Amino acid sequence: MNIQHFAAFRAVMMTGTVSGAAEILGRSQPAVSRLLDRLEAELGLALFERRKGLIRPTAQAHRLLDEVERAYVSLDSLQNLASRLAKGQGNQISLAILPALGMGFMPRVIARFRQDWPETRVSLNIRMSPTVEEWAAGQQVDFGFAEMPVRRSGFETEIFSTAPYVAAVPSGHELADRSCLTPEDLRKGPMINWTPFVAARHLLDQVLVTAGVRIEALCETSLSGAAFEMVKLGLGIAIVDPYTAVLQADDRIRLIPFRPAIPFNLALLRPESRGATPAVEHMLFLARAERDEILAQVPT
């Protein structure tokens, strides 16, 4: 297979049109169409439905794109490393971090790290936990943070944090003066819940079922940060991870312990074939220090 075929496929998927792909690739539209035709012929798959000059990706195309993107991540990493080695600049750290830590926690760690290692390049990739696992298993990053339980191999797993989720309540809500919240209190919502694809949703559902409480959520989201913003706007109550709760603290929100406690189980993933460097070890030292400072502020 020719990598140009996959480049054309990826460009079409990114832009949604052959003309857009042609502009990105610096080729003519007929040339891009021919590359797509050859790729489909080699794979024996129909990747696009063509109607009246428009193309629509098939389900197989979307599945193929996931694999192509992973291949491009590997190629980009290889090219970047080769370039830096050629310049005598081999120091680089590549990370894959779930959003709860990637949006606020890791930028703070990186800022502290840069004070001691100003010449080391850092690549911060924010991905959902399953993708973090894939990248760590594929030896594509120096380390990653993902929510447990992990389901892949190819990396060493270390428990990084088990601090519990907390309730975020609008400061004017009738529950804002409580010392803790229970499943029964969530009936006084409205509730901003996790989507069914988030591990925390299943843990919360188990707690609610055990307590005999049924909740109809006003909104659902896959990110603590989005739920926290909704609480700020007075849309309801949310259960959020402790890192987001502390780092996005706001006078419009009261943070209240939730009982029974639901642990936010975080794992540090270290690929087996990527040896630790002094720079990586120092960044992890700073990450643990930052973790301890943040979790000391979580209400208990």
Side-chain angles (χ1 to χ4, degrees), residues 128-281:
M128 300 303 286
S129 288
T131 303
V132 174
E133 287 188 46
E134 289 180 10
W135 288 21
Q139 317 300 305
Q140 297 174 15
V141 292
D142 289 291
F143 67 84
F145 287 120
E147 193 165 5
M148 295 186 288
V150 295
R151 297 173 174 81
R152 290 177 175 265
S153 58
F155 48 77
E156 296 178 359
T157 303
E158 172 188 323
I159 296 175
F160 183 75
S161 171
T162 59
Y165 287 88
V166 297
V169 180
S171 58
H173 196 280
E174 62 178 298
L175 297 174
D177 61 348
R178 297 289 184 88
S179 59
C180 74
L181 294 189
T182 65
E184 289 76 13
D185 293 320
L186 299 183
R187 288 194 173 113
K188 298 179 180 180
M191 182 71 184
I192 301 165
N193 206 351
W194 301 98
T195 62
F197 304 102
V198 178
R201 169 64 180 270
H202 303 293
L203 296 175
L204 179 58
D205 284 348
Q206 290 174 12
V207 168
L208 295 176
V209 169
T210 300
V213 175
R214 181 177 176 81
I215 300 294
E216 292 293 337
L218 171 72
C219 298
E220 292 183 347
T221 179
S222 59
L223 299 177
S224 275
F228 206 79
E229 287 299 318
M230 292 183 201
V231 178
K232 282 183 185 178
L233 297 172
L235 294 180
I237 300 169
I239 305 298
V240 299
D241 74 83
Y243 295 89
T244 298
V246 171
L247 294 179
Q248 295 189 24
D250 189 283
D251 290 340
R252 291 170 287 179
I253 293 181
R254 278 285 320 284
L255 299 178
I256 304 174
F258 183 76
R259 300 287 186 271
I262 301 175
F264 180 43
N265 293 318
L266 280 177
L268 166 63
L269 311 182
R270 305 189 67 168
E272 293 176 350
S273 68
R274 291 179 73 118
T277 66
V280 168
E281 293 300 336

Side-chain angles (χ1 to χ4, degrees), residues 93 95 97 101-117 122 124 143 145 160 243 247 279-294:
I93 299 177
L95 319 171
I97 312 293
L101 267 63
M103 301 301 292
F105 175 82
M106 279 311 300
R108 291 165 65 99
V109 173
I110 292 170
R112 296 172 69 170
F113 175 81
R114 292 281 294 174
Q115 296 176 10
D116 301 320
W117 294 73
V122 179
L124 173 60
F143 67 84
F145 287 120
F160 183 75
Y243 295 89
L247 294 179
V280 168
E281 293 300 336
H282 187 64
M283 179 171 283
L284 288 173
F285 168 79
L286 295 175
R288 294 182 181 101
E290 187 73 27
R291 170 201 63 195
D292 294 343
E293 292 177 14
I294 290 172

